[in-house]
Amino acid sequence: MTSHHARRPSPDVASALAAEAEGFLLARSHRAAARREAQTLCDALPWLTTAQAEELTRHYISHRIAVSRQMLSATVHRADELRREYEARYQQLRGTLLRRHAAWASGVLACAAGVSGALCALAR
């Protein structure tokens, strides 16, 4: 009997696959919620024919999905802006901290050299 070892995908592939599955499930969830809302709307309009209710449902779902996409796109755009702003600020703070530590270390070395020189002068 030959043993076949299942190859595990790389972490990047697994992560991308998980993200795609999550996106698919999220889209299905949004579509289901839109369908429930459309059904509630159609139930409130009892004079609609079956064809009219189906048309209203299709229109409502497509409109709701478009609005969700716009909102998600705006959120992603804003998240990218914030990420760039925070990265720039982080780099700025990191540079400032590095300069301060370098100045402090130079000061400590200068003081140590001064004290060492003074001790050598006193020891003579």
Side-chain angles (χ1 to χ4, degrees):
M1 178 175 207
T2 309
S3 134
H4 293 282
H5 295 283
R7 293 181 63 197
R8 289 191 174 173
S10 70
D12 292 338
V13 171
S15 178
L17 185 60
E20 187 174 338
E22 181 182 14
F24 175 77
L25 293 173
L26 186 60
R28 297 263 317 199
S29 172
H30 278 289
R31 184 172 292 279
R35 183 170 295 284
R36 283 191 305 273
E37 291 170 11
Q39 186 61 45
T40 301
L41 177 62
C42 290
D43 290 345
L45 306 171
W47 61 85
L48 291 177
T49 65
T50 302
Q52 290 171 330
E54 289 173 358
E55 181 63 26
L56 180 61
T57 298
R58 276 193 301 276
H59 177 71
Y60 185 90
I61 290 172
S62 69
H63 184 265
R64 172 86 189 294
I65 296 299
V67 169
S68 293
R69 279 187 181 134
Q70 288 174 338
M71 289 173 46
L72 184 58
S73 177
T75 301
V76 167
H77 179 70
R78 182 63 181 140
D80 286 341
E81 287 177 349
L82 288 173
R83 180 186 49 80
R84 285 191 300 271
E85 288 175 18
Y86 286 132
E87 285 176 351
R89 181 67 177 142
Y90 173 77
Q91 290 299 326
Q92 181 185 26
L93 290 172
R94 187 175 175 191
T96 300
L97 186 63
L98 180 62
R99 284 190 299 279
R100 287 181 182 173
H101 277 84
W104 183 81
S106 296
V108 168
L109 287 174
C111 287
V115 168
S116 175
L119 288 177
C120 285
L122 290 176
R124 289 188 199 175

